[in-house]
Amino acid sequence: MLSTLSNHTNSVTLLRQRELARSRREFLARGSRVKRCTDCMLAKSLCMCSLRPAPSGAVAVCLVYYQGEVFKPSNTGRLVADVLADNHAFLWHRTEPDPAMLALVQRQDYAPLVIFPYNYAAPERHMKDDETLQRYLAGRKPLLIFLDGTWREARKMFRSSWLANYPVIAIEPTQASNYRLREAFHEHQLGTAEVAIDILQRLGERQCADNLSTYFELFKDRYLAGRANHFSMDEAVE
């Protein structure tokens, strides 16, 4: 359920602010001429910050971003960070993983789960059935690790040595994605928020899943409206 709420800063926003402060040049994503809210990244006239759901949940999320992805307005990882109170975001480095990220995944009270298709992981890492999943969790808080970038970038991140020993949990969609905010590599490729909704449902976090589903639909409608307005302005100039 969405409600009017004062702004809260999540880990994705903080990561983006740190990267902006360190960057020597501006990242120009598609639609860069649109005047955007610096937090939700939507056009200012369509800002949805006041409609964020109150963060909650007994599941944690660790969003690992490929270089540049955190600046893209179409990225939905930050929606997951808005919904889940225990959220963390890091930039991926091939040879020098963030020490804070490594410390996070090694905490004894967390049960790290890498979100990635099963066919890319050895069978012994698969968390396909609930009995295996619950045995692995053993009362610990699930820590969902999302590799956020393009499909090619995510596959590169998945090969990181620090991820090699963690179990993999995935969804196997039978219908085309409802994302449509950027071009997918294949028909059934889902956006980060869509995957998170299904994973949260499987973990019994139905309220968080419902909140994220409603929030994602709101974001998608406003993002597409902003893109349509941008194209209309371009046509008027031409």
Side-chain angles (χ1 to χ4, degrees), residues 17-31:
Q17 290 172 349
R18 290 196 299 270
E19 290 305 305
L20 281 172
R22 293 194 301 184
S23 178
R24 295 182 179 180
R25 63 184 181 87
E26 184 180 5
F27 179 83
L28 298 177
R30 181 179 297 179

Side-chain angles (χ1 to χ4, degrees), residues 30 47-48 65-66 114 124 141 150 180 186 192 194:
R30 181 179 297 179
C47 174
M48 56 186 262
Y65 282 96
Y66 200 84
V114 184
E124 58 269 23
K141 177 184 282 191
T150 65
R180 305 304 187 198
H186 56 75
T192 301
E194 288 181 298

